[in-house]
Amino acid sequence: MSWLKMSWANLLSRPLGSLLAILLMAFGVGIVSLLVQLNAQLEKQFTTNIRSVDMVVGAKGSPLQLILSGIYHIDAPTGNISLNELNDLKKNPLVKSVIPLSLGDNFQGYRIVGTTPEYVEHYNAELHEGKVFENVLEATLGANAARQTGLKIGDHFVGTHGLQANDGHVHDDQEYVVVGILKPSGSVLDQLILTPLESVWAVHDHHHHDHGHSHDHTEKHEHDHSDGHHHEDDHVHGPDCNHDHEDGHHGHDHAEGHKEHSHGAHDHHAHDDDHVHGPDCNHGHAEEREVTVGLVKFTGPMARLQLPRHINTNTNMQAALPAIEINRLLGLLGIGINTLRWLAIVIMLLSAISVFVSLYNSLRERRYEMALLRSMGASRSKLFQLICTEGVILAFIGFVFGWVFSRLAMFLISGYARESYRYALEVWNWNKEDFLLAGVSLLIGLIAAVIPAVRAYSTRIHEVLGGKTE
Amino acid sequence: MGFCKRVICFIFTAMSVKITDLGFTYQDGEAFRFPNVEVEKGQSLLITGPSGSGKSTLLHIMAGFLTPKEGDVRIDSQSIYQLSESARDAFRGEQIGMIFQQHHFVRALSALDNVLLAWIATGRKPDEKMAKEILSDLGLSSKFHEKPQNMSQGEQQRLSIARAMVKKPAVVLADEPTSSLDDANAESVGKLLIDLTQNHNVALVVVTHDQRLKDIFPRSVSLANAKMNSL
């Protein structure tokens, strides 16, 4: 037996009043904690993934959509842009670097992103095992994508057209091979399957070749190869246009040969070899290539003022500044979050009133107990402590329940986010704001208990235990 | 008072309660002058009087709840009104056990825990063994974990007595301990109190208007003339 046990026993002896106070406190704490957690996670995701991307260029449309699809991979892209235009942008002295991304397919809902190894370096991602993709149809998986899909090094898989799981054509004629898995980086890379740009082109060239045309392709070389070049080798161009031939030489005039290709962009790969060019191969047919977005870094602050307007006015591309768009988005979200936050504060105030009413009412019933304790030698300050302890216990239990509620809600939201956007949110982590919330909750319990405690403190034993007023 | 003085005082007088020239006035002018009273350890005193004669007032003054206008109350040679309020609280917790007319308990606690409160209220380590012993002596061995409100009147009264006696105080003050009991139980409780007083070597002061106890207690004082028109 102790004073703490007595406080606890007193609370248990009036379960309904205590439960109401606890539930109200839990509800308030739960909402606040959930909002804090969501806010922190959203901000973390937004800031981590912007990671010094100064500008995103893509097809014209909604700038926010461009940012969401290009950086966070949670929305559909606005369309495609010409690789040529992107390469022209790269030559602009105000541009430090451009990372092209090509979207269009997914594997079990995880987006397959055609890009260059600079994308991995940009996020400082480290390899958990294997290597970063180098050749066409090699894939390096983000940590979460690997864990959720169960793919391992050496596994083969095929992409599905579209950005949602199971809603498109399966490219079963083009198999990717997993060559690397990244360590968790806390960035968007965790949710992505990365592959060279050429893979995306290759897969879609085949796709269009097989499905996008009515003409018969049972024969593979219908297009004109009158120039006589023939791709029997694995003819792959890297992003820097270095020819990569297994046999170490190339037996034809490449530039000329490609100029004479008369087929469209999607027919180009209707060879029985893998003749693929890197994104910088601006020799003839690169103009036919498309990518989805380009992530741009500026050389200096002047670029921010000049480039977006220049691009939006003079090119077929759209430029969007992530910082501005995300601030706009957070501003919009903020209205809702602020409303909920105020609601939670009101609920917490109600819980304080509930704790107060619960203790105050119980004290009316317990005035004899208070007098009895005084008669047994308990000091006034002991009674004050007893009532305050009860208030703090109610608040503490309310906080614990509220915190658990918030994390259960977070668990559900995380499941939804994973299902819908392949984003994994942290659920059970303890933020520094939770310390603050715990402190505020206990303080509320204490403040709510002060008036009843003062009443207990000023118990006049003689009057309560049957005497008349002194 | 120094320790040696207290020891000498204890050896020669063994006086547990001493009331001298005690007078008290309520704010509304109702005034009392109480007779001088002395009770030694192991002895009991019955204080009787009609309703409104100041019995409860006297008891509350002896317990340190009410401050007298004049006179002195000494418990175990300590003048309790020379103590500060907090020291008086602690002294009461150590040296005074109380039995009330209505059996006040902490409803949330078991019978055993209510007895343990005798120590906890003053921040001392509870002696569970002793608490169980006295409850068993009073026939409540099967009621340790019972809530007081679920016990009979007689059991509640015995529980109240156990709580007052368990820490072996210098004096036990009882306010109408038998008024709600039938004749048999009243006699039984009266005798029990006297036995416990002797066995535990405490002084017992009972204030009551219950005339049934007059035959049981060897010594009594009447407050019939304590009330004054005004002081």
Side-chain angles (χ1 to χ4, degrees), chain A residues 328-340:
Chain A
R328 201 155 61 87
L329 178 65
L330 287 176
L332 291 171
L333 287 174
I335 296 169
I337 286 175
N338 271 339
T339 307
L340 281 172

Side-chain angles (χ1 to χ4, degrees), chain A residues 82-84 87 277-290:
Chain A
S82 157
L83 180 61
N84 250 0
N87 285 335
H277 294 267
D280 289 352
C281 287
N282 198 10
H283 57 350
H285 65 281
E287 62 198 353
E288 298 156 355
R289 291 297 181 200
E290 289 184 329

Side-chain angles (χ1 to χ4, degrees), chain A residues 168-232:
Chain A
H169 167 75
V170 177
H171 300 296
D172 49 8
D173 51 346
Q174 295 283 303
E175 278 195 341
Y176 289 93
V177 60
V178 180
V179 296
I181 293 172
L182 300 174
K183 287 181 182 172
S185 61
S187 72
V188 70
L189 292 197
D190 291 347
Q191 343 289 339
L192 299 178
I193 296 171
L194 307 176
T195 187
L197 283 169
E198 295 81 358
S199 305
V200 178
W201 296 333
V203 167
H204 288 91
D205 285 349
H206 274 269
H207 172 58
H208 287 282
H209 188 74
D210 293 344
H211 303 282
H213 303 274
S214 58
H215 56 273
D216 182 14
H217 281 266
T218 50
E219 270 188 76
K220 288 184 177 176
H221 296 282
E222 271 194 356
H223 55 272
D224 182 16
H225 277 261
S226 57
D227 61 333
H229 93 250
H230 187 71
H231 307 275
E232 287 179 347

Side-chain angles (χ1 to χ4, degrees), chain B residues 58-105:
Chain B
L58 175 58
L59 198 80
H60 288 185
I61 292 170
M62 291 167 76
F65 300 161
L66 285 174
T67 306
K69 186 181 177 185
E70 55 190 315
D72 189 26
V73 177
R74 287 180 178 270
I75 306 278
D76 219 8
S77 305
Q78 171 66 55
S79 178
I80 61 170
Y81 288 100
Q82 284 178 359
L83 299 170
S84 66
E85 187 187 8
S86 58
R88 196 157 66 233
D89 288 338
F91 182 82
R92 184 167 55 242
E94 296 277 343
Q95 300 296 343
I96 302 174
M98 298 213 63
I99 301 166
F100 299 102
Q101 180 179 359
Q102 289 176 339
H103 314 303
H104 302 302
F105 299 102

Side-chain angles (χ1 to χ4, degrees), chain A residues 38-39 41-47 49-50 62-75 321-338 421 423:
Chain A
L38 267 179
N39 217 23
Q41 298 252 347
L42 280 177
E43 279 187 15
K44 186 182 166 193
Q45 290 288 352
F46 281 136
T47 52
N49 290 317
I50 284 182
S62 156
L64 181 59
Q65 187 183 347
L66 181 61
I67 300 294
L68 292 177
S69 62
I71 294 184
Y72 304 105
H73 297 273
I74 52 174
D75 202 350
L321 299 174
I324 290 174
E325 295 305 322
I326 292 310
N327 276 344
R328 201 155 61 87
L329 178 65
L330 287 176
L332 291 171
L333 287 174
I335 296 169
I337 286 175
N338 271 339
Y421 306 113
Y423 264 92

Side-chain angles (χ1 to χ4, degrees), chain A residues 321-465:
Chain A
L321 299 174
I324 290 174
E325 295 305 322
I326 292 310
N327 276 344
R328 201 155 61 87
L329 178 65
L330 287 176
L332 291 171
L333 287 174
I335 296 169
I337 286 175
N338 271 339
T339 307
L340 281 172
R341 189 172 289 155
W342 278 110
L343 178 69
I345 288 169
V346 169
I347 291 170
M348 285 190 80
L349 284 178
L350 282 177
S351 74
I353 293 169
S354 173
V355 170
F356 166 75
V357 169
S358 173
L359 293 177
Y360 198 84
N361 280 343
S362 83
L363 209 63
R364 263 201 325 210
E365 296 160 11
R366 291 162 59 199
R367 56 198 291 263
Y368 287 108
E369 288 182 18
M370 295 296 117
L372 175 74
L373 290 169
R374 292 276 289 119
S375 79
M376 295 173 81
S379 62
R380 290 176 184 278
S381 59
K382 268 286 177 201
L383 299 194
F384 188 88
Q385 283 174 33
L386 178 74
I387 302 302
C388 286
T389 304
E390 290 179 22
V392 170
I393 288 176
L394 283 175
F396 178 73
I397 297 172
F399 170 79
V400 171
F401 274 98
W403 191 87
V404 171
F405 285 161
S406 76
R407 292 315 188 265
L408 288 176
M410 199 68 203
F411 179 74
L412 294 176
I413 292 169
S414 175
Y416 173 76
R418 192 183 300 114
E419 194 67 30
S420 304
Y421 306 113
R422 306 297 156 193
Y423 264 92
L425 299 175
E426 293 173 40
V427 175
W428 296 105
N429 61 332
W430 174 271
N431 301 322
K432 66 176 187 296
E433 287 84 359
D434 288 323
F435 281 111
L436 186 67
L437 193 55
V440 168
S441 303
L442 298 184
L443 193 64
I444 283 176
L446 189 64
I447 290 170
V450 162
I451 292 177
V454 166
R455 241 190 119 184
Y457 179 90
S458 54
T459 297
R460 299 169 81 93
I461 315 171
H462 166 68
E463 286 171 18
V464 177
L465 294 178

Side-chain angles (χ1 to χ4, degrees), chain A residues 47-245:
Chain A
T47 52
T48 305
N49 290 317
I50 284 182
R51 193 75 65 91
S52 72
V53 173
D54 295 317
M55 181 174 75
V56 179
V57 289
K60 290 194 185 295
S62 156
L64 181 59
Q65 187 183 347
L66 181 61
I67 300 294
L68 292 177
S69 62
I71 294 184
Y72 304 105
H73 297 273
I74 52 174
D75 202 350
T78 49
N80 283 342
I81 53 173
S82 157
L83 180 61
N84 250 0
E85 271 195 304
L86 198 64
N87 285 335
D88 287 345
L89 178 64
K90 199 182 283 188
K91 293 171 193 161
N92 191 309
L94 294 172
V95 171
K96 186 177 177 186
S97 68
V98 178
I99 301 173
L101 303 182
S102 198
L103 308 175
D105 291 344
N106 77 91
F107 177 66
Q108 295 182 9
Y110 289 89
R111 291 188 177 191
I112 298 170
V113 179
T115 183
T116 60
E118 283 77 18
Y119 191 43
V120 179
E121 290 161 19
H122 175 75
Y123 285 103
N124 297 325
E126 294 176 14
L127 279 165
H128 172 63
E129 57 181 324
K131 62 170 189 170
V132 175
F133 57 85
E134 288 173 358
N135 299 316
V136 68
L137 292 175
E138 285 184 347
T140 300
L141 275 60
N144 195 38
R147 188 171 59 249
Q148 295 295 329
T149 59
L151 288 172
K152 307 252 180 323
I153 301 285
D155 285 354
H156 291 257
F157 68 95
V158 291
T160 303
H161 195 64
L163 298 173
Q164 301 290 322
N166 307 321
D167 71 345
H169 167 75
V170 177
H171 300 296
D172 49 8
D173 51 346
Q174 295 283 303
E175 278 195 341
Y176 289 93
V177 60
V178 180
V179 296
I181 293 172
L182 300 174
K183 287 181 182 172
S185 61
S187 72
V188 70
L189 292 197
D190 291 347
Q191 343 289 339
L192 299 178
I193 296 171
L194 307 176
T195 187
L197 283 169
E198 295 81 358
S199 305
V200 178
W201 296 333
V203 167
H204 288 91
D205 285 349
H206 274 269
H207 172 58
H208 287 282
H209 188 74
D210 293 344
H211 303 282
H213 303 274
S214 58
H215 56 273
D216 182 14
H217 281 266
T218 50
E219 270 188 76
K220 288 184 177 176
H221 296 282
E222 271 194 356
H223 55 272
D224 182 16
H225 277 261
S226 57
D227 61 333
H229 93 250
H230 187 71
H231 307 275
E232 287 179 347
D233 52 353
D234 286 339
H235 182 151
V236 177
H237 295 261
D240 54 356
C241 206
N242 287 332
H243 291 197
D244 180 11
H245 294 279

